[in-house]
Amino acid sequence: KDAIRAIEAYRPTNNRSQLSRTERNTLIMDAYNATPSSMAAALENFALVEDSFKIALLGDMRELGADSLREHRACVGRIQEMLSKGSLQGAYIVGEEFGKALEGLSDSRIRHFSSSEALAEYLGTNIISGASILVKGSRGIQMEKVLGCL
């Protein structure tokens, strides 16, 4: 019984799958790390969230080496599929690798930013309200910098 109470009372503060609510939005913060499999799982789980307004804020997956472009393109493909099915209404993606993966793609529902600071600046004047928001990226992208704007 003590173990159950302890687990029920636990509130993570390490940017690993934290669910929180701000004055305007519900956040799923998972920005401790990002690999192709963890990004795919996060997007698949987010697709199951029942909400009519869902936004994904995703940062580069780091240290993928020669597979980086292929894996970032695969992630963009998942995003496009979710957008077309209506299980996602928009995506803001951050980083150089995602920028390369987006080359030649024209979809106004997917916006690219060079850094988390640039995204935070954009969100400071383009307020999101009433959304469920997934925030995920490799630790080095520092996606937590956007939290104050959400």
Side-chain angles (χ1 to χ4, degrees), residues 45-101:
N45 287 328
F46 194 50
L48 300 174
V49 170
E50 293 185 23
D51 195 332
S52 61
F53 185 36
K54 295 188 295 188
I55 305 290
L57 279 58
L58 307 176
D60 276 352
M61 298 174 280
R62 296 265 176 106
E63 301 175 8
L64 297 181
D67 296 328
S68 185
L69 182 57
R70 179 175 49 82
E71 294 296 349
H72 282 85
R73 281 183 177 156
C75 186
V76 169
R78 282 187 199 90
I79 292 166
Q80 289 179 295
E81 183 178 323
M82 290 173 70
L83 288 165
S84 69
K85 290 181 177 180
S87 59
L88 185 66
Q89 284 61 55
Y92 299 155
I93 58 179
V94 175
E96 182 178 336
E97 296 302 311
F98 268 127
K100 292 175 189 174

Side-chain angles (χ1 to χ4, degrees), residues 11-134:
R11 300 292 178 256
T13 58
N14 57 4
N15 295 332
R16 294 180 186 213
S17 299
Q18 291 172 233
L19 178 66
S20 63
R21 287 179 177 74
T22 68
E23 290 181 21
R24 296 188 312 268
N25 301 295
T26 299
L27 309 180
I28 300 170
M29 177 62 169
D30 190 3
Y32 184 78
N33 72 3
T35 63
S37 60
S38 71
M39 190 71 81
L43 287 168
E44 288 171 19
N45 287 328
F46 194 50
L48 300 174
V49 170
E50 293 185 23
D51 195 332
S52 61
F53 185 36
K54 295 188 295 188
I55 305 290
L57 279 58
L58 307 176
D60 276 352
M61 298 174 280
R62 296 265 176 106
E63 301 175 8
L64 297 181
D67 296 328
S68 185
L69 182 57
R70 179 175 49 82
E71 294 296 349
H72 282 85
R73 281 183 177 156
C75 186
V76 169
R78 282 187 199 90
I79 292 166
Q80 289 179 295
E81 183 178 323
M82 290 173 70
L83 288 165
S84 69
K85 290 181 177 180
S87 59
L88 185 66
Q89 284 61 55
Y92 299 155
I93 58 179
V94 175
E96 182 178 336
E97 296 302 311
F98 268 127
K100 292 175 189 174
L102 284 171
E103 287 178 6
L105 178 69
S106 177
D107 187 333
S108 62
R109 299 169 298 175
I110 302 173
R111 296 187 61 105
H112 176 254
F113 297 85
S114 61
S115 67
S116 58
E117 294 90 352
L119 174 56
E121 184 177 321
Y122 173 83
L123 293 173
T125 58
N126 295 272
I127 306 298
I128 298 174
S129 291
S132 288
I133 302 172
L134 170 65

